[in-house]
């Protein structure tokens, strides 16, 4: 614009610049175009483009591995160690319980019977090779025409530990039989005809009932499996022998002494049992 009368002390400059509305519009249009171009470039990026992953968060397992003393971890069961087997070689008290199944075989005409029962063992381990045990066994003896009652025995058994697993034992003590009514027939002499007590010379035929005690012995082989420092399981084969003095009360007294008149008979037996049980220290 020429001669606008603008300036210092009304000294008009020869030329004055006046803002143009078209210039402002062009600046706005350029800004909008730049935004559109930026949006197209962002949309053109491939969908599989990598994205910065967040920083990893430490897990509890990693924290435990970094600091093993902070947690003990999950307990795990394992097989018995050599230390467990060595513990069973040390001296100390032993107690065992087992079940037994077998046969008691009568000799020289004495009746037989099947055995099923349990046994208790108490004793001490003397050293790495020897133990001294006391065995107490109670069996139900049963047979249609043989023994029908209880068979019991108590023996003292020195035991040799051949290896950590195999043991051999022999025992000597007492054994007995207690019967109620049986299916065996009556024998001679008849109880009513006896005036004094009488001992039969042979176990054949056997008395109809027997209650008595006598001498018993055994020989045993055991296989032991260590379960831990305090327990083992034991499998055993046992051979037994017993000599029982049977007594059959006739039910009437001796007229001279007043004592009961009885019939006596000695029964020899042998047999064997299979046993399975546990032992603790």
């Amino acid at each position: 614009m020429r001669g606008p009368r603008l300036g210092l002390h009304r000294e008009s400059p020869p030329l004055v610049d006046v803002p143009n509305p078209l210039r402002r519009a062009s600046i706005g249009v350029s800004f909008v175009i730049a935004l559109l171009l930026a949006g197209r470039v962002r949309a053109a990026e491939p969908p599989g483009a990598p994205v910065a992953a967040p920083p990893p968060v430490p897990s509890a397992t990693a924290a435990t591995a970094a600091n093993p003393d902070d947690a003990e971890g999950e307990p795990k069961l394992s097989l018995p160690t050599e230390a467990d087997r060595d513990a069973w070689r040390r001296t100390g008290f032993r107690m065992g319980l087992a079940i037994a199944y077998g046969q008691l075989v009568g000799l020289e005409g004495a009746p037989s019977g099947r055995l099923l029962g349990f046994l208790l063992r108490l004793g001490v381990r003397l050293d790495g090779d020897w133990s001294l045990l006391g065995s107490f066994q109670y069996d139900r003896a049963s047979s249609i025409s043989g023994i029908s009652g209880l068979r019991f025995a108590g023996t003292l058994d020195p035991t040799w530990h051949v290896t950590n697993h195999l043991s051999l034992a022999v025992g000597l003590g007492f054994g007995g039989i207690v019967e109620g009514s049986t299916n065996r027939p009556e024998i001679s002499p008849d109880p009513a005809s006896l005036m004094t007590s009488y001992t039969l010379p042979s176990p054949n035929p056997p008395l109809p009932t027997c209650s008595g005690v006598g001498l018993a012995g055994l020989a045993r082989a055991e296989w032991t499996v260590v379960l831990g420092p305090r327990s083992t399981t034991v499998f055993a084969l046992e051979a037994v022998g017993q000599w029982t003095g049977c007594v059959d009360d006739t039910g009437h007294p001796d007229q001279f002494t007043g004592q009961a008149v009885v019939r006596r008979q000695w029964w020899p037996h042998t047999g064997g049992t299979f046993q399975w049980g546990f032992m603790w220290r």
Side-chain angles (χ1 to χ4, degrees), residues 22-98:
L22 295 176
R23 186 179 180 183
R24 292 181 179 179
S26 65
I27 293 174
V29 171
S30 299
F31 181 73
V32 172
I33 291 173
L35 291 178
L36 293 175
L37 290 175
R40 288 185 178 182
V41 171
R42 187 174 184 86
E45 292 182 357
V51 180
V57 179
S59 63
T61 305
T64 302
N67 300 297
D69 296 335
D70 294 343
E72 296 181 357
E74 182 180 357
K76 297 181 179 179
L77 298 177
S78 61
L79 296 175
T81 64
E82 189 63 30
D84 295 336
R85 298 183 181 93
D86 291 340
W88 281 92
R89 295 176 59 86
R90 293 198 293 264
T91 60
F93 176 74
R94 302 288 188 269
M95 182 184 75
L97 289 173

Side-chain angles (χ1 to χ4, degrees), residues 51-232:
V51 180
V57 179
S59 63
T61 305
T64 302
N67 300 297
D69 296 335
D70 294 343
E72 296 181 357
E74 182 180 357
K76 297 181 179 179
L77 298 177
S78 61
L79 296 175
T81 64
E82 189 63 30
D84 295 336
R85 298 183 181 93
D86 291 340
W88 281 92
R89 295 176 59 86
R90 293 198 293 264
T91 60
F93 176 74
R94 302 288 188 269
M95 182 184 75
L97 289 173
I99 57 174
Y101 177 80
Q103 187 79 16
L104 191 66
V105 180
L107 304 176
E108 301 178 11
S112 303
R114 184 175 60 254
L115 301 176
L116 178 62
F118 70 95
L119 60 93
L120 168 68
R121 289 199 181 100
L122 300 172
V124 293
R125 182 73 178 247
L126 301 176
D127 55 30
D129 296 326
W130 290 94
S131 292
L132 186 61
L133 302 173
S135 297
F136 305 93
Q137 186 167 349
Y138 300 88
D139 301 299
R140 173 75 170 92
S142 59
S143 178
I144 295 177
S145 59
I147 299 176
S148 179
L150 173 69
R151 185 257 173 180
F152 60 92
T155 58
L156 190 63
D157 313 336
T159 303
W160 175 35
H161 302 279
V162 183
T163 68
N164 286 336
H165 298 286
L166 178 63
S167 301
L168 302 176
V170 293
L172 187 65
F174 64 89
I177 296 173
V178 177
E179 288 186 305
S181 60
T182 68
N183 294 326
R184 296 193 299 272
E186 186 58 76
I187 64 172
S188 179
D190 186 84
S193 64
L194 291 176
M195 305 301 294
T196 61
S197 296
Y198 178 77
T199 300
L200 284 85
S202 168
N204 189 22
L207 288 169
T209 61
C210 171
S211 294
V213 67
L215 186 66
L218 61 84
R220 182 174 63 248
E222 297 178 344
W223 187 262
T224 301
V225 178
V226 176
L227 302 179
R230 294 294 179 185
S231 61
T232 63

